[in-house]
Amino acid sequence: MLVVTYNVNSINSRLDALVQYLGERAPDVVCLQELKAPQDKFPLQAIQDAGYHALWHGQKSWNGVAILTREPAQEVQRGLPGDDTDEQSRYIEVAYKGILIAGLYLPNGNPAPGPKFDYKLAWMERLRLRGLELLAQGIPAVLAGDFNVIPTERDVYKPERWVDDALFRPETRAAFERLIEQGWLDALRAVHPDATIYTFWDYFRNAFGRDAGIRIDHLLLSPKLQPALKDAGVDKFVRGREKPSDHAPTWVELDLAKVTA
């Protein structure tokens, strides 16, 4: 099973590129972030024409997440539990072929410190608690999405330039580490422990051409899913195309026959 996470930075603006990518790579599951489309403006027909089913949580102008699957999936959760007042569309869970897939778009948090950073940290704590619930249920699961977290210095070009950014602040990295410590595996780093890998390149200052990127798109595997890990990577070529998203699709390949009972 090929599971992809991809921040499209406006699904309707990148629809042709997304459909092209789906045809090229034929992933089984695609977690999309930053749809920037209300619920009724999701391009369902185009997704279906490309051979996919979709469950999505839209929001006007901002945010928005979706999960595309080759066969119908069952929605499990819409919205991250823990705050009934949170109206931002950043989280969705589905059950598909015996595994649970959580697609998420974690808050950016800038400027930090400030209310947006406080919201980011609170959201990460809610995610940690949800992660504990999923592990307690014993379900093979993957947390996939744009985490807006740079885990370590090797995940960023010139880390000294990011020390005050919400994506790289010590509080953010510590919150991410608390999630990992529950038993989740960073699939990309597990496969490529020492490689320089980025998933995002800013549109400015020729960042992509200079390979001045950051790694903020992650796929975390629960303990029962970790034996199924075959490969993981970043389809960097997509970022180099005309009018791209500033993110590249990031993926994990799983052998579901090796999922532990």
Side-chain angles (χ1 to χ4, degrees):
M1 176 185 285
L2 183 63
V3 180
V4 172
T5 179
Y6 185 22
N7 180 322
V8 290
N9 190 10
S10 177
I11 189 168
N12 287 300
S13 296
R14 318 287 176 205
L15 184 57
D16 290 345
L18 174 61
V19 169
Q20 179 183 357
Y21 178 75
L22 295 176
E24 290 170 338
R25 292 286 272 137
D28 299 280
V29 178
V30 185
C31 298
L32 301 175
Q33 303 90 43
E34 212 168 349
L35 302 180
K36 294 183 177 178
Q39 193 73 6
D40 61 347
K41 297 299 182 181
F42 183 85
L44 180 59
Q45 188 61 57
I47 298 300
Q48 291 176 334
D49 290 345
Y52 288 83
H53 300 264
L55 291 165
W56 69 97
H57 188 196
Q59 182 177 339
K60 185 178 180 180
S61 301
W62 308 102
N63 306 322
V65 289
I67 298 181
L68 316 183
T69 52
R70 281 290 190 182
E71 299 173 19
Q74 178 182 355
E75 184 173 320
V76 175
Q77 178 74 38
R78 180 179 295 247
L80 184 63
D83 183 356
D84 293 338
T85 68
D86 187 359
E87 297 180 349
Q88 297 192 27
S89 301
R90 294 184 174 274
Y91 188 87
I92 190 169
E93 289 176 3
V94 306
Y96 186 68
K97 294 193 173 183
I99 68 173
L100 185 137
I101 300 157
L104 62 96
Y105 177 41
L106 204 146
N108 177 286
N110 282 303
K116 291 184 177 180
F117 189 58
D118 294 341
Y119 172 67
K120 179 190 186 87
L121 295 180
W123 206 96
M124 295 184 77
E125 175 60 14
R126 288 160 55 199
L127 180 62
R128 186 189 70 83
L129 295 175
R130 183 58 178 167
L132 283 175
E133 292 176 350
L134 296 177
L135 295 180
Q137 293 171 20
I139 306 169
V142 55
L143 306 180
D146 176 358
F147 280 70
N148 270 316
V149 175
I150 304 168
T152 71
E153 289 192 354
R154 62 183 169 179
D155 298 308
V156 52
Y157 179 82
K158 294 193 175 180
E160 65 274 10
R161 296 185 177 180
W162 290 81
V163 292
D164 294 323
D165 194 283
L167 280 63
F168 196 51
R169 284 180 66 98
E171 303 97 320
T172 300
R173 288 187 285 160
F176 185 78
E177 185 60 29
R178 285 193 291 273
L179 183 66
I180 294 292
E181 287 173 352
Q182 295 176 352
W184 299 94
L185 180 71
D186 180 345
L188 197 63
R189 193 49 79 191
V191 174
H192 307 283
D194 301 313
T196 297
I197 303 174
Y198 303 136
T199 65
F200 170 95
W201 299 260
D202 203 299
Y203 290 126
F204 304 105
R205 298 179 297 279
N206 190 33
F208 183 70
R210 296 185 296 114
D211 198 25
I214 56 178
R215 187 173 77 95
I216 56 175
D217 302 272
H218 308 300
L219 298 112
L220 307 185
L221 308 183
S222 71
K224 289 194 173 182
L225 198 56
Q226 291 167 20
L229 176 60
K230 289 181 64 179
D231 200 4
V234 180
D235 285 335
K236 184 178 176 180
F237 65 91
V238 178
R239 176 63 177 84
R241 288 177 169 166
E242 186 177 357
K243 296 181 179 179
S245 169
D246 39 12
H247 296 250
T250 305
W251 54 268
V252 61
E253 185 179 359
L254 303 170
D255 181 356
L256 296 189
K258 294 183 179 180
V259 174
T260 58

